Amino acid sequence: MAPQQGTLLSYRPDIQVLDATIRDGGLVNSFHFTDEFVKKLYQTNVKAGVDYMEFGYKASKELFDVNKFGKWKFCNEEAIRGIVGDNNTSLKLSVMADVGRTDLENDILDKNDSVIDLIRVATYINTIPAAIDMAEYCKSKGYETSINIMAVSTSNDKDIKQALELIGQSGADMICIVDSYGSMYPEQIRELAEMYTEVGEKYGKKIGIHAHNNQQMAFANTIEATARGVSVLDATMSGIGRGAGNCPMEALVGFLKNPKYKLDPVLKFVQNEMLKLKNDGLVWGYDIPYLLTGILNLHPRSAIDCIQQGNTDYSEFFQELWDKEC
Amino acid sequence: MAPQQGTLLSYRPDIQVLDATIRDGGLVNSFHFTDEFVKKLYQTNVKAGVDYMEFGYKASKELFDVNKFGKWKFCNEEAIRGIVGDNNTSLKLSVMADVGRTDLENDILDKNDSVIDLIRVATYINTIPAAIDMAEYCKSKGYETSINIMAVSTSNDKDIKQALELIGQSGADMICIVDSYGSMYPEQIRELAEMYTEVGEKYGKKIGIHAHNNQQMAFANTIEATARGVSVLDATMSGIGRGAGNCPMEALVGFLKNPKYKLDPVLKFVQNEMLKLKNDGLVWGYDIPYLLTGILNLHPRSAIDCIQQGNTDYSEFFQELWDKEC
């Protein structure tokens, strides 16, 4: 399976788009989306030709209080069916499962009993064996699986290569490049894409990308990865997601030439639903504090605090980042 | 003069940064910046190690009513001296002169009588000979000169090559890639950068880039051009500029590794001055209507109208663009 290349006029039929609006957007509002919102998003994704819709996390109810989060942190089967019924559409459904924070035996049903298609295991580079165990467990239950190595910008190439080799030999179907801190430039993304697609080619795995917009690079990095053979592309409506957010679906679908993708349903969802969230006070998207954590390759938590506190002393904030986190 | 390449850890001493805050930002507020703002910007650019500060246009007073615009549309010598005195700093001063809208004989003094260092001639591809005449006139007066081919995304490669060849043979010192419509992707910018730097190398011209942010690509395109040997980089504070604006100075200076560039003065200017402009109601920066004109490779004028009217029916706006402008 050689990674495919395209031109700006052609298209690659192997491209797949994954909508992570609820899952990454849930980190902004503790997963408190209304059912109406999620239903409209589902209908939008079907109409727009999106390939996967990620509903949220399969978080352990031992570790997290179900009363403190919306239902998409847990993604019970009945919650998803309440939106999609039996999902008689070509849109596949995805959930994310964090290493160490998922109760696999209780919460992952047999695929025969579930409308979920894809389980994406989120791991840091030091828990790859646990991630592989989880992915293989899910695979044995009948699901398509992905391993997403988070915060890859903090790992060195040797470790990434070893991790990729281990995942390559595992039962996982996909491997996802995750720039959690939004700190990477297209030049670095191209290098990573080459490293990942080489393993993908060797072992028959699809390669994906999940980019963050701290430095206004989420869309640019996504299409640069695409130009280097990455095929599963994460995006969210209006770029909603933790901190600076993600690659905007409207930009990505506007860019892709695959005839199956339709921009109009996305634009309608943005104007009717996403603007409402913004007007109701939900805050996400590029801002200077995210640029600064991005430049320093740091987790955006301090930037999120800075913005929530209405602190606009960027100069002082940057010096504090150096003092406390570098 | 071979175009230089760098890595993400090294730096290229040939890089120069041009601050176009007043010139492109002036298109947002009809050049009505206060003297205090312009003075602080000048001091910021000096402290930050910026190489050029573009004060505005040398617009003809026959064609434009001086009462309808702020003084930076005209950039009289005394206006600039009111800010910089004799400019005893290492910051060079720039103005822009539009083909067909500049009164060269009255408004371009001998360099000996002026604090201006660089005159950038803005032209469309069909007026290159006039642009060359202007640049050579300014050169004969003693100035450094640039020719900026605007809206290059609407020209074909053959015409661009011919234009570059003509400019190469002219007296102009620089040639600037201008993505006026913010419609270009990094892949296209790299191709253009190679085309321009080839001519630059052949004839000893510096190559610059001026990017727009309609598709959130201004910063990405700027650093991609840099990686391909482009050396004169336009940016503006907080990305202020017509419509979706430009490459943000804070992102660019945060990225460049050249020790002479300092981020802190830029952050202080952004927090103290640019936030005030935003809070006072000045509107610029990425928004969906700009994405849509960018996708269609159109002038942003309809998107500017759409946003000024508070129209958020993006779906209808996009259909109207197709009907009226494509």
Side-chain angles (χ1 to χ4, degrees), chain A residues 181-183 185 214-215 288-298 318 322, chain B residues 219 250-255 257 263:
Chain A
Y181 300 167
S183 69
Y185 300 106
N214 300 57
Q215 301 198 72
I288 309 267
Y290 299 126
L291 171 72
L292 300 176
T293 58
I295 288 171
L296 296 178
N297 192 14
L298 293 172
F318 194 54
W322 275 102
Chain B
F219 178 38
E250 55 276 23
L252 184 62
V253 169
F255 169 78
K257 301 293 175 287
L263 183 57

Side-chain angles (χ1 to χ4, degrees), chain A residues 8 185-186 188 190 213 215-217 219-220 223-224 250 255 264 268 271 275 288 312-315, chain B residues 8 185-186 188 190 213 215-217 219-220 223-224 250 254-255 264 268 271 275 288 312-315:
Chain A
L8 284 171
Y185 300 106
Q188 295 165 294
R190 289 193 295 272
N213 206 34
Q215 301 198 72
Q216 300 191 6
M217 288 288 168
F219 178 38
I223 68 175
E224 284 299 295
E250 55 275 22
F255 168 78
D264 190 62
K268 288 199 171 106
Q271 72 196 42
L275 288 186
I288 309 267
T312 57
D313 192 338
Y314 306 133
S315 165
Chain B
L8 284 171
Y185 301 106
Q188 295 166 294
R190 289 194 295 272
N213 207 32
Q215 301 198 73
Q216 302 191 3
M217 289 288 167
F219 178 38
I223 68 175
E224 284 299 295
E250 55 276 23
F255 169 78
D264 190 64
K268 288 199 171 107
Q271 72 196 41
L275 289 186
I288 309 265
T312 58
D313 191 339
Y314 306 133
S315 164

Side-chain angles (χ1 to χ4, degrees), chain A residues 54-305:
Chain A
E54 193 156 79
F55 271 78
Y57 287 90
K58 277 280 186 190
S60 160
K61 290 163 203 123
E62 292 282 318
L63 293 174
F64 297 98
D65 183 346
V66 292
N67 297 312
K68 286 195 178 156
F69 298 93
K71 56 188 161 184
W72 308 110
K73 186 165 177 83
F74 306 99
C75 285
N76 292 340
E77 186 68 24
E78 57 273 26
I80 300 181
R81 286 188 189 267
I83 303 296
V84 308
D86 291 333
N87 184 32
N88 295 315
T89 72
S90 58
L91 176 67
K92 290 184 175 181
L93 311 184
S94 165
V95 292
M96 184 160 273
D98 280 338
V99 166
R101 309 211 289 184
T102 311
D103 183 357
L104 285 182
E105 277 157 40
N106 285 315
D107 292 335
I108 306 295
L109 311 178
D110 277 339
K111 169 68 191 118
N112 289 337
D113 302 322
S114 177
V115 286
I116 296 168
D117 298 284
L118 167 66
I119 297 177
R120 300 207 297 173
V121 176
T123 179
Y124 289 99
I125 197 139
N126 59 339
T127 53
I128 296 290
I132 290 174
D133 275 3
M134 283 176 67
E136 292 188 334
Y137 179 86
C138 296
K139 185 85 185 165
S140 75
K141 292 282 183 180
Y143 297 94
E144 194 177 4
T145 58
S146 176
I147 292 181
N148 295 20
I149 312 174
M150 295 185 292
V152 71
S153 58
T154 62
S155 303
N156 70 52
D157 286 358
K158 198 177 113 188
D159 292 345
I160 298 170
K161 277 182 189 160
Q162 285 182 10
L164 291 175
E165 194 59 33
L166 289 170
I167 301 171
Q169 292 166 23
S170 80
D173 302 291
M174 286 183 208
I175 318 174
C176 188
I177 301 169
V178 187
D179 178 19
S180 304
Y181 300 167
S183 69
M184 303 190 82
Y185 300 106
E187 194 166 332
Q188 295 165 294
I189 289 292
R190 289 193 295 272
E191 283 172 13
L192 276 186
E194 273 160 30
M195 213 186 285
Y196 279 60
T197 53
E198 196 178 304
V199 171
E201 196 175 349
K202 181 170 166 193
Y203 293 105
K205 316 285 187 203
K206 290 196 276 193
I207 305 300
I209 181 159
H210 180 85
H212 276 268
N213 206 34
N214 300 57
Q215 301 198 72
Q216 300 191 6
M217 288 288 168
F219 178 38
N221 282 340
T222 301
I223 68 175
E224 284 299 295
T226 310
R228 290 300 191 280
V230 170
S231 63
V232 185
L233 313 178
D234 280 21
T236 63
M237 297 292 171
S238 294
I240 192 173
R242 180 154 58 185
N246 303 117
C247 174
M249 182 65 80
E250 55 275 22
L252 184 62
V253 169
F255 168 78
L256 292 169
K257 300 294 176 287
N258 310 46
K260 74 169 179 166
Y261 296 122
K262 308 291 179 207
L263 183 57
D264 190 62
V266 175
L267 291 179
K268 288 199 171 106
F269 188 83
V270 167
Q271 72 196 42
N272 296 329
E273 303 304 324
M274 299 309 293
L275 288 186
K276 220 185 287 170
L277 291 188
K278 282 241 164 187
N279 291 339
D280 288 351
L282 213 55
V283 175
W284 75 89
Y286 172 80
D287 201 348
I288 309 267
Y290 299 126
L291 171 72
L292 300 176
T293 58
I295 288 171
L296 296 178
N297 192 14
L298 293 172
H299 191 285
R301 71 178 77 81
S302 322
I304 294 171
D305 288 348

Side-chain angles (χ1 to χ4, degrees), chain B residues 98-152:
Chain B
D98 281 337
V99 166
R101 308 210 288 184
T102 311
D103 184 355
L104 286 181
E105 278 157 40
N106 285 315
D107 292 334
I108 306 294
L109 312 178
D110 277 338
K111 169 67 189 117
N112 290 339
D113 302 323
S114 177
V115 286
I116 296 168
D117 298 284
L118 167 67
I119 297 178
R120 301 207 297 173
V121 176
T123 178
Y124 289 99
I125 197 140
N126 59 340
T127 53
I128 296 291
I132 290 174
D133 275 3
M134 283 176 67
E136 293 188 332
Y137 179 86
C138 297
K139 186 84 185 166
S140 75
K141 292 281 181 179
Y143 297 94
E144 195 178 4
T145 57
S146 175
I147 293 181
N148 294 21
I149 312 174
M150 295 186 291
V152 70

